[in-house]
Amino acid sequence: MFTLAWPWLLILLPLPLIFSLGKASGSKQATQTGGGHLQMPGVAEAPTTRFDHSPRRSRWPYWLIWTALVFAVARPLWVGDAIELPSKGRDLMLAVDLSGSMQIEDMVLNGKAVDRFAMVQQVMSEFIERRKGDKLGLILFADHAYLQAPLTQDRRSVAQFLTEAQIGLVGKQTAIGEAIALAVKRFDKAKQSNRVLILLTDGSNNSGSITPEQAADIAAKRGVTIYTIGVGAEVMERRTLFGKERVNPSMDLDEAQLTLLAQKTKGRYFRARNSDELEQIYQEIDKLEPTDSDQLSYRPQAELFYYPLAIALLVSVLLMLSGFAAVQALVQRLPRSAS
């Protein structure tokens, strides 16, 4: 986009015309009053050449030079599209359970029955998209915990890694303690910031080399806040030989343990029985851990003043060469003195 840094300087454009009109008015008034010229007796008046009396077509180079100089002083700029600057937000790690129980189809998404992980993928991807300014990381855990995405501001990549994850990819059990310990380890490699871990599971810790309580104690000492989310419906109908029966598919969910982990780190425990509740949980976390709303940006600028300056210089050189040629032609036409 083209713009001028100081457009008010364009008021200088008609300045030569104002001076020219003023000079012409003064000359006319002097002629009417009989003044304007002092002539010595016996001395002929010297011929004069005035810019005002020159043909109109000979003035355009001077107007072009003046216009180019005024535009150069007004600082023409080319301004690019806005570029967002990285803002200092939170280091937010997402730990997602990929154990075998996450494939239980006790969730409804868009009117269709889906498994727990499919629902988590959908709702968590929308949460990731909203976390502008934060560094996000992704940990997947089952038998053991694995770092799928390090802390980064590339939200699209984190969401893509979550979409590509599959149940059973890292085992079928649940290593909650290892997931917390791995998140704390990754936080230690980052600069000091607001450290937040969102841990989502549908079971209880039954694998790994460290207990969730031990990992939470370490996290509390390192300033990591843990928000735990328990996923799974409380009632589910299934068919048997004797007809349908209602069961609780979340019997393995250890809510007491998840609540304790959150309390140890000054976080909170949330219960997600369906997709609407999970969405509300993420909105609540957005309020508890708000993103930086003052997003900084800048527009790259390129100075263009040298273009009108170049035009003014070029026309000036052409005028000077034309003047030299006119003087040379005048000299050649002068009568030569007799030898």
Side-chain angles (χ1 to χ4, degrees):
M1 180 180 65
F2 174 79
T3 186
L4 295 174
W6 303 319
W8 54 271
L9 288 175
L10 295 181
I11 62 176
L12 298 176
L13 283 174
L15 198 59
L17 179 61
I18 294 174
F19 281 127
S20 177
L21 293 176
K23 185 176 180 182
S25 177
S27 300
K28 183 177 180 180
Q29 184 178 2
T31 302
Q32 292 176 352
T33 56
H37 294 282
L38 179 63
Q39 182 175 352
M40 297 296 292
V43 178
E45 181 179 1
T48 60
T49 302
R50 295 182 180 179
F51 179 75
D52 295 336
H53 295 166
S54 60
R56 187 174 299 275
R57 63 178 177 273
S58 66
R59 299 185 186 181
W60 72 264
Y62 302 98
W63 279 108
L64 181 58
I65 293 173
W66 176 252
T67 302
L69 290 176
V70 171
F71 269 94
V73 173
R75 283 190 62 199
L77 301 171
W78 178 262
V79 182
D81 295 332
I83 299 176
E84 292 186 354
L85 295 174
S87 57
K88 184 178 180 181
R90 288 164 174 74
D91 287 346
L92 197 155
M93 190 69 72
L94 306 173
V96 181
D97 188 352
L98 281 187
S99 61
S101 58
M102 289 292 288
Q103 64 185 350
I104 298 176
E105 294 185 358
D106 60 347
M107 295 291 161
V108 177
L109 186 64
N110 299 325
K112 181 181 178 181
V114 297
D115 59 56
R116 296 171 178 176
F117 184 60
M119 184 268 293
V120 169
Q121 286 177 309
Q122 175 69 29
V123 180
M124 186 174 282
S125 296
E126 296 173 358
F127 172 77
I128 291 172
E129 181 61 29
R130 295 195 300 265
R131 302 303 300 188
K132 294 182 179 180
D134 290 343
K135 288 184 178 180
L136 301 177
L138 179 63
I139 292 175
L140 303 177
F141 65 94
D143 292 353
H144 299 282
Y146 299 90
L147 180 68
Q148 188 71 5
L151 290 169
T152 176
Q153 289 187 323
D154 187 357
R155 305 189 308 278
R156 291 185 179 180
S157 295
V158 177
Q160 183 66 27
F161 283 130
L162 178 63
T163 302
E164 294 174 352
Q166 297 179 1
I167 298 174
L169 184 65
V170 290
K172 294 185 178 181
Q173 297 183 346
T174 310
I176 296 176
E178 280 194 10
I180 297 175
L182 179 57
V184 173
K185 182 178 179 181
R186 300 306 302 183
F187 284 138
D188 286 343
K189 294 184 178 181
K191 295 181 180 180
Q192 187 67 29
S193 65
N194 295 326
R195 303 174 175 188
V196 178
L197 168 63
I198 300 177
L199 187 142
L200 186 146
T201 182
D202 66 345
S204 59
N205 186 80
N206 55 17
S207 181
S209 57
I210 184 173
T211 66
E213 290 78 12
Q214 291 173 335
D217 290 336
I218 298 173
K221 293 179 181 179
R222 305 293 175 84
V224 178
T225 302
I226 301 178
Y227 295 98
T228 54
I229 302 175
V231 180
E234 291 183 344
V235 178
M236 178 181 177
E237 290 186 352
R238 67 178 182 181
R239 293 183 178 182
T240 65
L241 293 176
F242 304 99
K244 294 182 180 180
E245 67 174 356
R246 295 165 66 91
V247 297
N248 180 8
S250 301
M251 292 180 59
D252 295 333
L253 181 62
D254 193 344
E255 294 190 76
Q257 185 182 67
L258 296 177
T259 302
L260 179 62
L261 299 179
Q263 290 176 348
K264 280 178 175 288
T265 59
K266 300 180 181 180
R268 282 183 58 182
Y269 167 67
F270 300 94
R271 184 72 168 90
R273 300 169 184 83
N274 50 59
S275 59
D276 292 336
E277 286 188 354
L278 184 58
E279 174 61 29
Q280 292 174 6
I281 289 169
Y282 284 131
Q283 291 179 2
E284 183 66 21
I285 294 176
D286 283 335
K287 296 177 182 178
L288 295 172
E289 303 291 341
T291 57
D292 186 3
S293 58
D294 297 330
Q295 180 67 45
L296 300 179
S297 63
Y298 81 100
R299 291 180 177 270
Q301 296 182 353
E303 296 280 355
L304 302 177
F305 67 89
Y306 43 84
Y307 286 109
L309 279 182
I311 294 175
L313 178 61
L314 178 62
V315 176
S316 299
V317 171
L318 293 176
L319 278 176
M320 184 173 60
L321 294 177
S322 176
F324 286 154
V327 171
Q328 186 177 5
L330 180 62
V331 169
Q332 290 178 353
R333 288 198 300 267
L334 290 176
R336 297 183 178 181
S337 58
S339 57

